[in-house]
């Protein structure tokens, strides 16, 4: 059954259906304003499925003759949507009168009426109505106003495309018209028609004015680019004829023309000059265009070019140009730019890239913006990757990065320490330089987490004469030892050593001295003096200025104290191996043991906000015992095993990165071993010569939702059958089933309705409603079904978030006796259509896990007996990616813990943590455990949990 063509969609709220007689009366006797409002109401009612065949003659008699422009515009919409044929398919007699009225409008002196009428004629599908109007349409090509002429061209174009016998000389007519026109919009429409109707004439016109193309308007230039693209794809021999024109259009003042020309150029030619010109054009567009969406789209084009091996080699020389894009303030643009530059950089231009990045680092120091911290982190990671990839530049990068350690932004500082840890292990020649800069920056660090990691690096890699220097730096940032005595003096109001030193430095400045007595005079409300002792006050009533390491301990962070103790132990043991003088070794050892015992004493004294934990206390005691007993096993753990563990971890990371790179290269392989061999002599001349057909790929994306999906996949019977949902039973009078096609943000329901009765069903209407973040775009029109007839009705649904949605409703139809209703089965929209696997770092995963407030805990209930098989099943059913490395999951130990991550097409993040186990001694026992899901929105967490539960039920039932 063919659908009624309609190009106009007008959204309207639920309207009360008025009486047809009242509508007729308003159209007959109302004034102009009443007629306008009534006509609007009729249009909305007809779009919502109502039928008023009796109104056509009333509108022809009383509304059509009115010369009001608003009524004329509304009538164009009305005649577009009104049924123009009778039940037997013949044209209504009344439409002849309408045709005559529009013939008069085409000859009206007002150019707006002529132009709008011509636009309306583009939408007519009845040749009987168009045939009498053809002379008037042709006459409009010679009208003085360009608005009329360009719409006349469009009308002739659509009429020729649909009914070429009405205007058999259309291409010749438009070609002659094109030669005489000066207006760019008219030339563009005429050239567009020739492009689709007669390419030979279009090419002849282009060849005659190819040197003037740059002076044309942008709308005409875009059509010229499209013509060149299509012609060169159909006949590659024409490339040499038109490629110079494309080169010239790269300098067009219109950004749209330059973008299309660059895209066309790289599909027509893989010459280095063409690739360089197109990439340079893209970069200029990104730099000059202010819209971030445009920047991201063009960046994606550059990244797609880089995926081609031939183009990547040419683009390597454009790294410095790519880095100009960093001037954009958007963090996503900067992230993609740095990733692209990192993939393109090579040994010749790495030094220049490092200089640019160092300047970008300097720019971020005095700028406070919401994304500045993230940008610094990106710069640090890029410099890190550069140093590992090109070790020669590491020595110039390290001083720049160490400055980040004193930054208040912890994200960048953590990445700096990760880089320093890797560099100090992989590049032994740079250890002295790294240690020197790290010791210099140590007192300025402001974060406990950063200090803890820096202390570990110093303890692991400091050697020789630098050991006492490091211990002195630690003691200086720790403050006076023993700490408990210093805190007691501070509490009593006495001056501590730090305060005395500050006072000596600030002698001569007013008010620099502090209260030195242990009691202070206070004035009471009645004017007398009262004495208050410091010992009667609650501890630490005001925030005291302390050395940074002491402040961490006073805040209850004794995990740092335990890490510091381990570092001091390593330094003391290493010093004992280097120095032969027993007194010097013992002096340093006792100094270190005093610091550790002081930390222990402080943790149990009650001064810190939180006391020391038993774990931290035990670890410090182990360090003290190791230093006092010096057993070979303990000394070996402190001096050798820690560094070996780091080396193994870094090696595992490198192997994982190489494995991922190989998988990526394998996935992008263009030719498989069993692919057919293409012979140049037997091909049509297009294979392996030109790039992808962008029109075909864009059509694929529109139909399938992704660039990789093919039209053949979308139309394959198996793909469709998998998504068919039965809505009614086989014994119902009306059988219905729906094919659910999910296309990113839209859902199209193609509902098959079958009349299984011997009666004609009048006004058979599909009524739908939605639950969740789904919205029905338009109400389906009612249909008439003959006995045992069938039809397809399409309904569009908009999706706004990742949440399990439900579509429900019924089918209402009229018979000769009564009105009947068939209730439909509900359609569940699968969340998996919107979720795609994604990856993130462990730090980002932990941060998101901490930030996201919605958690859903799902108990594992499955028939699987193997932990790895259950994980594979879970990843397949949820579209999530396992972040835990393969090596960490290998082996059989009876339990498994893994982190999983995915993103939705709406930008929502979904995290999951899998904790499962099974007895090792019982191979037939089932897997048990829990899955914890975290997301920013409640709908995402609940929907993903429901999906996991339903997949588990299916696996249990299958078993």
């Amino acid at each position: 059954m063919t659908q009624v063509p309609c190009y106009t969609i007008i959204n309207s709220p639920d309207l009360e259906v008025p009486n047809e007689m009242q509508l007729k009366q308003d159209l007959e006797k109302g004034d102009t304003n009443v007629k306008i409002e009534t006509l609007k109401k009729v249009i909305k009612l007809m779009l919502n499925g109502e039928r008023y065949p009796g109104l056509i003659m009333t509108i022809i008699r009383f509304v059509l003759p009115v010369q009001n422009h608003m009524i004329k515009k509304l009538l164009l919409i009305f005649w577009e949507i009104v049924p123009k044929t009778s039940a037997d398919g013949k044209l209504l007699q009344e439409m002849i009168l309408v045709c005559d009225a529009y013939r008069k409008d085409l000859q009206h002196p007002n150019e707006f009426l002529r132009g709008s009428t011509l636009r309306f004629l583009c939408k007519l599908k009845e040749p009987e109505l168009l045939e009498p109007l053809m002379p008037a349409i042709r006459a409009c090509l010679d009208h003085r106003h360009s608005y009329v002429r360009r719409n006349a061209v469009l009308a002739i174009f659509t009429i020729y495309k649909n009914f070429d016998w009405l205007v058999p000389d259309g291409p010749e007519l438009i070609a002659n018209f094109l030669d005489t026109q000066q207006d760019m919009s008219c030339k563009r429409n005429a050239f567009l028609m020739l492009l689709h109707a007669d390419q030979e004439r279009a090419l002849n016109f282009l060849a005659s004015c190819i040197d003037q193309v740059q002076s044309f308007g942008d709308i005409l230039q875009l059509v010229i680019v499209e013509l060149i693209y299509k012609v060169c794809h159909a006949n590659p021999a024409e490339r040499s004829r038109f490629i110079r024109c494309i080169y010239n259009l790269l300098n067009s003042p219109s950004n749209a023309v330059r973008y299309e020309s660059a895209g066309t150029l790289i599909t027509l030619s893989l010459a280095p000059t063409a690739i360089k010109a197109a990439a340079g054009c893209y970069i200029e567009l990104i730099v000059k265009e202010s819209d971030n969406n445009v920047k991201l789209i063009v960046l994606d084009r550059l990244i797609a070019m880089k995926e081609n091996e031939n183009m990547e080699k040419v683009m390597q020389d454009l790294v410095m140009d790519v880095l100009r894009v960093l001037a954009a303030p958007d963090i996503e643009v900067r992230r993609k730019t740095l990733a692209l530059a990192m993939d393109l950089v090579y040994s010749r231009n790495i030094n220049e890239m490092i200089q640019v990045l160092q300047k970008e680092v300097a720019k971020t120091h005095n700028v406070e913006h919401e994304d500045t911290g993230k940008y610094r982190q990106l710069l640090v990671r890029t410099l890190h990757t550069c140093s590992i990839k090109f070790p020669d530049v590491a020595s110039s990068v390290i001083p720049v990065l160490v400055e980040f350690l004193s930054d208040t932004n912890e994200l960048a500082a953590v990445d700096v320490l990760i880089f320093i840890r890797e560099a100090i292990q992989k590049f032994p020649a740079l250890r002295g330089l790294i240690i020197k800069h790290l010791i210099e920056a140590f007192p300025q660090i402001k974060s406990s987490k950063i200090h803890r990691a820096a202390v570990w690096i110093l303890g692991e890699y400091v050697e020789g004469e630098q050991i006492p220097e490091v211990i002195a730096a630690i003691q200086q940032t720790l403050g006076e030892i023993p700490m408990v005595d210093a805190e007691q003096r501070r509490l009593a109001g006495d001056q501590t050593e730090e305060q005395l030193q500050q006072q000596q430095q600030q002698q001569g400045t007013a008010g620099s001295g502090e209260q030195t007595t242990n009691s202070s005079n206070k004035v009471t409300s009645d004017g007398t003096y009262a004495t208050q002792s410091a010992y009667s006050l609650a501890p630490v009533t005001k925030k005291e200025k302390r050395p940074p390491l002491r402040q961490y301990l006073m805040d209850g962070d004794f995990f740092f104290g335990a890490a510091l103790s381990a570092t001091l132990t390593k330094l003391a043991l290493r010093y004992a191996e280097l120095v032969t003088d027993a007194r010097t070794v013992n002096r340093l050892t006792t100094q270190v043991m005093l610091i550790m015992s002081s930390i222990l004493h402080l943790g149990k004294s009650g001064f810190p906000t939180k006391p020391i934990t038993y774990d931290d206390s035990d670890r410090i005691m182990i360090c003290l015992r190791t230093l006092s007993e010096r057993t070979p096993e303990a000394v070996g753990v402190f001096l050798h095993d820690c560094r070996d563990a780091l080396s193994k971890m870094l090696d595992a990371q490198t192997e994982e990165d190489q494995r991922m790179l190989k998988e990526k290269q394998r996935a992008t392989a263009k030719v498989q071993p069993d692919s057919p061999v293409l012979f140049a002599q037997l091909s049509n001349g297009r294979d392996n010569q030109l790039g992808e057909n962008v029109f075909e790929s864009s059509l694929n994306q529109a139909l399938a939702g992704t660039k990789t999906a093919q039209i053949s996949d979308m139309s394959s019977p198996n793909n469709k059958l998998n998504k068919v949902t039965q809505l009614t039973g086989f014994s119902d009078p009306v059988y219905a089933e729906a094919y659910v096609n999910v296309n990113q943000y839209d859902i199209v329901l193609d509902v098959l309705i079958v009349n299984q009765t011997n009666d004609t069903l009048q006004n058979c209407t599909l009524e739908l409603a939605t639950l969740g973040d789904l919205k029905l775009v338009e109400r389906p029109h009612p249909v008439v079904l003959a006995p045992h007839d069938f039809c397809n009705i399409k309904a569009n649904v908009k999706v706004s978030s990742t949440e399990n949605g439900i579509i429900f409703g019924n089918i209402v139809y009229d018979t000769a006796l009564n009105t009947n209703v068939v209730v439909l089965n509900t359609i569940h929209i699968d969340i998996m259509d919107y979720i795609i696997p994604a990856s993130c770092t462990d730090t980002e995963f932990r941060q998101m896990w901490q930030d996201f407030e919605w958690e859903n805990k799902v108990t594992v209930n499955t028939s699987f007996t193997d932990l790895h098989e259950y994980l594979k099943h879970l990843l397949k059913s949820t579209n999530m990616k396992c972040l835990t490395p393969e090596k960490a999951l290998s082996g059989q130990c009876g339990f498994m813990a893994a982190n999983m991550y995915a993103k939705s097409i709406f930008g929502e993040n979904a995290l999951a943590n899998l904790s499962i186990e099974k007895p090792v001694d019982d191979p037939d026992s089932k897997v048990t455990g829990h899955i914890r899901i975290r997301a920013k929105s409640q709908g995402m967490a609940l929907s993903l949990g429901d999906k996991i539960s339903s997949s588990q039920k299916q696996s249990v039932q299958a078993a």
Side-chain angles (χ1 to χ4, degrees), residues 195-385:
L195 164 64
H196 292 282
D198 191 343
Q199 278 193 5
E200 191 59 39
R201 291 182 187 272
L203 285 173
N204 291 337
F205 170 76
L206 179 58
S208 66
C209 60
I210 197 164
D211 294 327
Q212 304 165 19
V213 168
Q214 276 188 293
S215 62
F216 290 166
D218 57 345
I219 55 175
L220 180 56
Q221 287 177 344
L222 284 172
V223 184
I224 289 173
V225 171
E226 183 182 347
L227 170 71
I228 293 174
Y229 181 87
K230 288 186 173 180
V231 168
C232 293
H233 257 277
N235 185 9
E238 295 281 351
R239 279 184 299 173
S240 58
R241 183 179 173 191
F242 294 111
I243 203 162
R244 186 168 61 88
C245 179
I246 293 291
Y247 269 110
N248 293 336
L249 288 176
L250 289 177
N251 300 317
S252 169
S254 167
N255 287 345
V257 174
R258 296 174 68 193
Y259 176 77
E260 293 296 336
S261 302
T264 302
L265 182 59
I266 56 176
T267 57
L268 300 183
S269 172
L270 290 178
T273 51
I275 296 167
K276 193 170 287 189
C281 181
Y282 280 144
I283 293 168
E284 286 294 325
L285 285 175
I286 300 170
V287 172
K288 293 182 178 178
E289 183 61 47
S290 57
D291 190 339
N292 280 333
N293 293 320
V294 175
K295 289 177 184 286
L296 290 170
I297 290 169
V298 182
L299 260 176
D300 286 338
R301 293 290 299 166
L302 276 174
I303 293 169
M305 285 177 65
K306 185 260 303 179
E307 299 298 327
N308 185 311
E309 294 179 4
N310 296 324
M311 295 187 188
E312 185 179 14
K313 292 177 182 177
V314 179
M315 291 176 66
Q316 285 179 342
D317 294 327
L318 298 174
V319 169
M320 301 310 295
D321 292 324
V322 170
L323 290 175
R324 289 167 54 204
V325 182
L326 292 177
D330 185 68
I331 189 67
E332 193 61 33
V333 173
R334 287 171 161 177
R335 179 181 286 111
K336 286 192 172 185
T337 303
L338 288 172
L340 175 62
M342 198 61 247
D343 289 338
L344 293 177
V345 72
Y346 67 122
S347 56
R348 289 186 183 178
N349 52 20
I350 181 64
N351 290 317
E352 296 174 8
M353 179 173 169
I354 292 293
Q355 290 175 5
V356 172
L357 295 179
Q358 288 174 347
K359 289 178 182 176
E360 289 295 316
V361 168
K363 289 179 187 176
T364 62
H365 281 310
N366 300 320
V367 179
E368 286 304 324
H369 188 267
E370 58 180 348
D371 288 331
T372 302
K374 294 179 181 176
Y375 183 42
R376 289 180 188 171
Q377 190 179 18
L378 283 176
L379 290 171
V380 169
R381 289 183 179 176
T382 308
L383 287 167
H384 175 182
T385 312

Side-chain angles (χ1 to χ4, degrees), residues 384-563:
H384 175 182
T385 312
C386 288
S387 302
I388 301 303
K389 194 173 178 182
F390 304 98
D392 295 341
V393 300
S395 57
S396 61
V397 169
I398 288 167
V400 179
L401 291 185
V402 169
E403 293 178 12
F404 277 96
L405 293 178
S406 58
D407 194 15
T408 52
N409 175 28
E410 195 175 278
L411 295 173
V414 167
D415 283 330
V416 169
L417 281 171
I418 290 173
F419 160 66
I420 288 176
R421 186 184 66 185
E422 185 173 356
I424 206 169
Q425 172 68 23
K426 288 188 173 180
F427 311 133
L430 296 176
R431 284 179 187 172
L433 177 68
I434 295 173
I435 295 295
K436 177 187 172 187
H437 286 287
L438 199 54
I439 294 173
E440 289 174 359
F442 192 77
Q444 279 78 43
I445 298 175
K446 299 179 178 65
S447 166
S448 164
K449 188 177 180 181
I450 308 306
H451 251 133
R452 191 169 67 234
V455 156
W456 186 91
I457 292 172
L458 288 172
E460 196 62 52
Y461 293 98
V462 170
E463 294 176 353
E465 298 298 324
Q466 287 182 314
I467 292 176
E469 185 183 349
V470 171
I471 294 176
I474 290 173
Q475 192 159 357
Q476 181 185 352
T477 48
L478 198 57
E480 186 184 348
I481 303 293
M483 287 180 274
V484 175
D485 295 344
E487 290 301 320
Q488 282 179 341
R489 286 201 299 276
R490 187 188 296 272
L491 189 62
D494 294 340
Q495 286 184 322
T496 61
E497 286 184 9
E498 296 97 348
Q499 291 170 340
L500 286 170
Q501 290 172 2
Q502 289 176 6
Q503 200 174 40
Q504 289 170 3
Q505 292 171 2
Q506 298 174 358
Q507 278 181 350
T509 58
S512 61
E514 296 194 7
Q515 190 79 16
T516 56
T517 58
N518 58 359
S519 63
S520 58
N521 291 330
K522 304 288 181 185
V523 180
T524 61
S525 58
D526 58 356
T528 60
Y529 287 98
T531 303
Q532 191 174 28
S533 173
Y535 291 105
S536 64
L537 295 175
V540 191
T541 56
K542 65 176 181 176
K543 188 79 174 175
E544 295 285 352
K545 179 72 174 175
R546 296 186 177 87
L549 302 190
R550 172 84 60 85
Q551 189 60 54
Y552 303 151
L553 299 174
M554 292 301 293
D555 292 338
D557 185 3
F558 283 96
F559 180 50
F560 173 78

Side-chain angles (χ1 to χ4, degrees), residues 234 517 640 679 713 759:
T517 58
H640 306 296
F679 293 95
D713 298 336
D759 302 322

Side-chain angles (χ1 to χ4, degrees), residues 377 381 839-849 911:
Q377 190 179 18
R381 289 183 179 176
S839 59
C840 65
T841 64
D842 290 342
T843 309
E844 291 168 343
F845 185 91
R846 285 194 293 269
Q847 187 64 42
M848 285 190 285
W849 188 270
L911 313 175

Side-chain angles (χ1 to χ4, degrees), residues 1 24 162 198 266 505 513 719 725 756 758 864 884 897 957:
M1 177 180 175
K24 281 187 177 182
N162 296 321
D198 191 343
I266 56 176
Q505 292 171 2
N719 190 38
T725 304
Q756 301 195 107
N758 294 321
F864 281 95
T884 308
Q957 291 170 0

Side-chain angles (χ1 to χ4, degrees), residues 716-780:
S716 64
N718 291 335
N719 190 38
K720 285 194 171 185
L721 289 173
N722 290 335
K723 295 184 178 181
V724 170
T725 304
Q726 186 176 340
L727 302 179
T728 63
F730 291 113
S731 59
D732 285 320
V734 176
Y735 173 75
E737 65 182 25
Y739 163 57
V740 183
N741 180 21
V742 178
N743 183 12
Q744 288 198 332
Y745 309 110
D746 302 316
I747 298 173
V748 179
L749 299 179
D750 189 354
V751 184
L752 170 68
I753 298 178
V754 182
N755 178 8
Q756 301 195 107
T757 66
N758 294 321
D759 302 322
T760 300
L761 306 184
Q762 300 284 343
N763 293 327
C764 184
T765 308
L766 176 67
E767 296 182 345
L768 297 174
T770 58
L771 195 65
D773 284 339
L774 304 175
K775 183 181 178 183
L776 194 66
V777 176
E778 55 182 330
R779 175 183 168 191

